Amino acid sequence: MNAPIVLELPPDLKQERLPKHVAVIMDGNGRWAKRQGLPRIMGHKRGVDALKDLLRCCRDWGVQALTAYAFSTENWGRPLEEVEFLMTLFERVLRKELREMMQEDVQIRFVGNLNALPRSLQAEISRSMADTQNNRGIKFTVATNYGGRQEILAATKAIALQVQQGLVQPDQIDEALFESHLYTAGICDPDLLIRTSGEMRISNFLLWQLAYAEIYITETLWPDFDRSEFHRALCSYQERERRFGKV
Ligand code: IPE
Ligand code: IPE
Ligand code: MG
């Protein structure tokens, strides 16, 4: 395993107080574009650059896992041109970035109802997950056609089936068993959730996994979220006292 490169960690951040896993709701692409007098899709294009920078920054500073919300189950309700643009964008970016992710030892994983995505995108997703599965650097998870409620329902159905088949007894259903049926099985819960563009909501993201995450909301629109913004979020996180219900 490659040692994490943490040389660039700003001096006011303490390595031992960094979140292990950061989750981001990348919001505000459309508003960013509108402010620049551009079509919404240009905001999504710029949003990809912001995500690439954040992934590198996490790696440079020693954050072990990053999960990004790219497309929700509710986002299908957007105009068809926008949805199609996003699907094509995801596919193009994946194809283009795979080589660099390999060089940088990134392990990429997609979570969500992937079967409902365009076939050609599913093919890129499978390839990127297979190619990077043995990489030991940052764990990068992309939530695509993801909904927290749908994930919980899918897990519930899978467990119900096992009970029906007599493989599991109802009193064996505990948190560990339940988690093993979530899309995120094997990934630790996020310590820090960042949402951009000032919205104070979770929008169906990681409903189970965020139970004890610290939440950081910034007015900054996603395409403008850069290292200095991330630095501010981490400083805020470091000052939090995480009590997990205790005193
Ligand atoms: C987030 O930006 C990206 C996706 C949901 C795909 P938005 O597209 O939601 O941007 P706003 O919220 O309309 O500004
Ligand atoms: C959440 O943003 C989904 C993603 C960032 C992919 P939305 O823009 O879809 O959320 P709402 O509609 O403001 O809650
Ligand atoms: Mg939005």
Side-chain angles (χ1 to χ4, degrees):
M1 179 178 163
N2 292 351
I5 308 158
V6 289
L7 297 173
E8 294 175 49
L9 190 67
D12 56 345
L13 292 178
K14 293 176 208 71
Q15 232 224 298
E16 65 283 3
R17 286 188 62 85
L18 281 182
K20 286 192 174 59
H21 182 178
V22 173
V24 275
I25 301 178
M26 312 183 285
D27 198 14
N29 292 349
R31 278 163 283 174
W32 180 91
K34 194 170 174 208
R35 278 186 204 170
Q36 318 279 321
L38 297 169
R40 291 179 56 84
I41 56 170
M42 293 307 289
H44 298 316
K45 270 184 90 168
R46 286 295 294 268
V48 171
D49 297 332
L51 180 58
K52 278 165 58 182
D53 281 351
L54 179 62
L55 178 63
R56 291 233 163 77
C57 188
C58 284
R59 190 198 56 151
D60 291 346
W61 292 355
V63 173
Q64 295 164 18
L66 174 68
T67 296
Y69 203 6
F71 194 87
S72 75
T73 45
E74 289 72 34
N75 288 148
W76 295 109
R78 294 186 176 206
L80 186 63
E81 312 89 76
E82 183 171 343
V83 170
E84 283 181 348
F85 178 85
L86 283 167
M87 295 300 150
T88 311
L89 180 70
F90 297 154
E91 199 177 315
R92 237 188 18 235
V93 170
L94 255 186
R95 199 174 299 128
K96 187 162 160 280
E97 301 299 327
L98 184 56
R99 189 150 43 104
E100 266 183 70
M101 287 194 290
M102 286 304 291
Q103 280 164 1
E104 297 182 9
D105 210 21
V106 175
Q107 188 185 89
I108 194 170
R109 173 159 165 184
F110 284 79
V111 293
N113 179 8
L114 306 179
N115 296 328
L117 297 171
R119 289 249 174 263
S120 51
L121 175 56
Q122 286 187 49
E124 287 302 327
I125 286 176
S126 304
R127 190 162 72 107
S128 65
M129 292 205 292
D131 285 5
T132 66
Q133 66 179 344
N134 295 320
N135 288 354
R136 287 292 166 261
I138 185 163
K139 280 191 198 313
F140 178 40
T141 304
V142 187
T144 312
N145 193 22
Y146 175 88
R149 287 185 170 180
Q150 290 81 351
E151 178 183 41
I152 289 170
L153 281 177
T156 306
K157 282 184 194 162
I159 295 168
L161 200 65
Q162 291 192 336
V163 171
Q164 193 182 43
Q165 292 167 343
L167 301 169
V168 168
Q169 296 302 311
D171 62 5
Q172 290 175 317
I173 304 171
D174 57 9
E175 289 188 14
L177 180 87
F178 198 82
E179 274 166 4
S180 73
H181 287 278
L182 295 174
Y183 300 134
T184 52
I187 306 172
C188 67
D189 289 343
D191 302 295
L192 171 64
L193 170 71
I194 298 172
R195 182 163 188 155
T196 56
S197 87
E199 308 296 355
M200 309 266 184
R201 54 178 173 261
I202 293 187
S203 300
N204 207 11
F205 191 39
L206 302 177
L207 296 181
W208 172 283
Q209 298 86 341
L210 291 173
Y212 266 103
E214 294 295 327
I215 299 176
Y216 178 86
I217 291 170
T218 169
E219 291 294 325
T220 300
L221 303 175
W222 176 252
D224 290 328
F225 190 87
D226 58 11
R227 280 186 183 224
S228 62
E229 291 284 341
F230 187 46
H231 184 187
R232 262 194 283 284
L234 293 176
C235 286
S236 166
Y237 175 83
Q238 284 195 343
E239 284 160 15
R240 313 277 181 95
E241 187 195 347
R242 301 186 75 189
R243 285 194 290 275
F244 299 99
K246 304 186 182 96
V247 290

